[in-house]
Amino acid sequence: MSTPTSPRIEPFKAPTGTRDVLPPESDRWQALIAAFADHVGRAGYGLVQSPMFEEIGVFSRVGEGTDLVRKEMYDFLDKGERRIALRPEGTASIARAWIQHAQGEPKPWKVWYAAPSFRYERPQAGRYRQHHQLGLEAIGTEDADLDVEVITMLHDFYVGLGLKQVTLLINSMGTVEDRRRYIDDVREWLRERSADLDPTDAEKIDDHPMRVLDSKRPVTIAAIVDVPRITDRLSPEGAERFERVKVGLTALGIEFTVEPRLVRGLDYYTHTTFEFVSEALDAAQSTIGGGGRYDGLVESLGGPSTPGIGFGSGIERILLTCDAEGVFETSSTGVDVFVVDTIGGDAARDLTVELRRSGVSADRAFEGRSMKSQMKAADKSGAALVLIVGSDEAESNSVTIRDLRGDTGQETVSRNSVVDVVAARLS
Ligand code: HAM
């Protein structure tokens, strides 16, 4: 009687639009996040870890007319029949957290995050269904100098990574009132030209005219070349504020281009909006970071009328840009010491732990592999020193230290002193 064989299972793969980040690539992610944490930490920003999902209402406030809310959210009913969405962007969660916990804190409340965001988009290089943002938010202060600080933080971060081909675009949406008036003007203007627009965009004129302005459809782009510019219609208050931001950036030596059609893909923006665009990436994914002021968002989430400003920058896009410019190359960290035990005794087990407990980074091979195979593993581990325990060493209660990187060759020392000798040689 033959034994039944189980059906072959097709191996699972990560979902479309997601990526596994494995070593050594993940070393670079760690280094990037650490560099960002250090950079913003030195300017007084503290880390916030917010939930990866929220009640859907938190995210709907970023714009009922946006693709993000209408088409791209990962939303579902949980087992308690609550309508939940995975975080599509970081700002709404931070504003919700400020309302819930931090209203009494000194203003501005300055925080940062490194967090995944989920958007059901058409995946391509630099555009994923799960991407990761380095972001920063400052809540509670209207001062235009804070806009300058926030833009400068991102600019200087890119410069610190070594990026050179990144351009800053800025715009102002004006006050909440300016923005509202401008939307009405644009709606009127577009209505008169609806026949010239791509039909999909023409449908948005009544409810979401701003979304027509960031259309990527060539017919629409050509038809709206002369659309009214918000920068020509700012109230004196809006214009003065924008001027102060421009003066501040100039004083700090930060070059920028005013782009009056930079309305951004989310509805919460007022006053300053900005994007950093990489000339080294394909146009479709060339925005590596963006942000702006959102003076109405906190109120729309049920909090007191409170201003805020921040940015988000995709880790994947930053690293693509670094690759394209050949900067921010990190070397794999690895370990300092590798223990090779050719007699399959207790030496590898005990010595490796002793080394680690004394602060030396160490690794070992398992399953009593051959000397050749263990030496190969040692080489791959990045170790500078290999500690060899073979039959001679076991007999004389000693360990041989071999230098893989330098030219000090090989020495045999007593088992009792080996940890001290290694520590001394590494320091
Ligand atoms: P956002 O422009 O939608 O803004 O996204 C910020 C950045 O996240 C983009 O510039 C890009 O680098 C990256 N990104 C967005 N979507 C994807 C994707 N599908 N795949 C890869 N990377 C992506 C926001 O999310 C706002 N919360 C920014 C902000 C903070 N505004 C004020 N404070």
Side-chain angles (χ1 to χ4, degrees), residues 148 170 239 241-251 256 258:
V148 176
I170 63 167
R241 227 180 155 288
F242 192 36
E243 197 51 37
R244 173 131 187 100
V245 173
K246 289 188 280 184
V247 167
L249 292 174
T250 307
F256 58 85
V258 176

Side-chain angles (χ1 to χ4, degrees), residues 68 88-91 113 119 121 126-133 136-137 264 266 268-269 275 287-294 309-317:
L68 188 90
E89 63 99 50
T91 312
Y113 47 92
R119 300 181 185 183
E121 295 196 85
R127 189 173 295 278
Y128 308 101
R129 291 189 174 159
Q130 175 176 339
H131 73 275
H132 300 77
Q133 286 187 19
L136 173 160
E137 313 289 345
R264 309 229 337 111
L266 306 168
Y268 50 57
Y269 291 110
E275 282 186 358
T287 305
I288 61 169
R293 201 162 252 292
Y294 43 86
I309 179 164
F311 64 71
S313 184
I315 292 180
E316 294 84 352
R317 289 204 195 163

Side-chain angles (χ1 to χ4, degrees), residues 248-269:
L249 292 174
T250 307
L252 294 172
I254 296 177
E255 286 177 23
F256 58 85
T257 303
V258 176
E259 172 49 70
R261 267 193 279 151
L262 184 72
V263 295
R264 309 229 337 111
L266 306 168
D267 277 350
Y268 50 57
Y269 291 110

Side-chain angles (χ1 to χ4, degrees), residues 357-389:
R357 285 181 177 163
S358 68
V360 174
S361 66
D363 203 358
R364 56 164 292 193
F366 290 91
E367 297 178 333
R369 301 247 164 89
S370 69
M371 173 77 166
K372 193 172 161 209
S373 141
Q374 292 196 43
M375 286 307 293
K376 217 167 139 191
D379 207 40
K380 206 161 173 232
S381 75
L385 301 177
V386 180
L387 306 192
I388 302 166
V389 183

Side-chain angles (χ1 to χ4, degrees), residues 21 103 144 157 202 257 316:
V21 182
Q103 295 189 41
F157 179 59
T257 303
E316 294 84 352

Side-chain angles (χ1 to χ4, degrees), residues 72-150:
E72 295 170 3
M73 269 211 283
Y74 278 87
D75 57 326
F76 55 94
L77 279 184
D78 74 2
K79 295 191 196 314
E81 302 284 306
R82 296 171 202 90
R83 188 131 212 111
I84 297 293
L86 299 188
R87 171 175 53 217
E89 63 99 50
T91 312
S93 300
I94 298 289
R96 194 268 310 137
W98 179 82
I99 297 168
Q100 191 174 345
H101 307 289
Q103 295 189 41
E105 297 290 320
K107 295 185 178 73
W109 189 59
K110 304 203 322 185
V111 297
W112 69 276
Y113 47 92
S117 288
F118 305 86
R119 300 181 185 183
Y120 196 80
E121 295 196 85
R122 202 162 55 78
Q124 49 198 295
R127 189 173 295 278
Y128 308 101
R129 291 189 174 159
Q130 175 176 339
H131 73 275
H132 300 77
Q133 286 187 19
L134 296 175
L136 173 160
E137 313 289 345
I139 297 186
T141 302
E142 233 162 16
D143 195 328
D145 278 1
L146 184 60
D147 303 34
V148 176
E149 168 169 312
V150 166

